[in-house]
Amino acid sequence: MDGYVLARAVLLVAPADAFVSHHTAAELWGGVVPHAVRPHVSVPTGRPRSAREDLVVHASSREPVVFRGQRVTTPMDTFLDCARLLDLVDLVVLGDSLVTRRRITPEQLQGGLRGRSVAHRHARRRRHLPHARAHGGASAADLRRAGHPARTPE
């Protein structure tokens, strides 16, 4: 399903003040992320979260923007949200895809992480962001330098 169609459908059934986030936001921005079984939305911190079992509803202090007519986290906030859930290779792929789609620059990714104490599984991520090249497409050598074997087509 197209990221726009998914975002639009999810926001129709989500709480009124919800906005797409995490994997669902990444797909709307044209980013490449692993398939999420349930769409992700966020609601402002302190607001009631939906108990729908078909959605993952997060509480968030982030300010959504409107992209393609849908309320969504910014590309930087989307990347930071996904950093808590993705492994390093998938995060580099996401960063590269956002850069390739011209949603964000490698410098913005690096700057967005600078000075943040984002608690996530891979504390070394900031060091690996240079591998999201200006034109996108992390090479096999980039992934090896990041400490991960390069994925090969099957």
Side-chain angles (χ1 to χ4, degrees):
M1 179 180 298
D2 170 77
Y4 169 78
V5 173
L6 177 61
R8 186 174 165 106
V10 167
L11 290 176
L12 287 174
V13 298
D17 52 358
F19 46 96
V20 293
S21 62
H22 299 75
H23 289 68
T24 311
E27 290 179 16
L28 178 60
W29 287 113
V32 176
V33 288
H35 174 71
V37 175
R38 296 184 301 160
H40 290 253
V41 297
S42 291
V43 295
T45 302
R47 302 286 297 168
R49 292 169 34 177
S50 171
R52 291 186 64 111
E53 292 183 16
D54 56 346
L55 295 177
V56 178
V57 183
H58 304 271
S60 177
S61 61
R62 303 204 187 283
E63 284 294 319
V65 296
V66 175
F67 177 68
R68 297 182 66 193
Q70 308 307 309
R71 291 171 40 90
V72 60
T73 50
T74 66
M76 184 72 236
D77 288 341
T78 298
F79 183 83
L80 292 171
D81 288 342
C82 287
R84 293 184 174 115
L85 304 174
L86 299 178
D87 66 29
L88 182 59
V89 172
D90 287 331
L91 189 62
V92 170
V93 169
L94 173 58
D96 276 346
S97 63
L98 292 173
V99 167
T100 299
R101 298 286 302 209
R102 299 177 192 255
R103 305 296 187 220
I104 198 163
T105 67
E107 294 78 20
Q108 289 171 318
L109 286 174
Q110 292 171 356
L113 287 177
R114 214 171 275 126
R116 291 185 187 258
S117 59
V118 177
H120 46 44
R121 296 180 306 161
H122 299 284
R124 301 176 317 174
R125 285 193 174 133
R126 184 183 308 133
R127 177 170 70 104
H128 299 297
L129 285 177
H131 303 300
R133 299 179 297 181
H135 61 279
S139 69
D142 292 335
L143 294 174
R144 279 193 298 279
R145 276 194 298 276
H148 291 273
R151 291 187 175 174
T152 57
E154 305 201 10

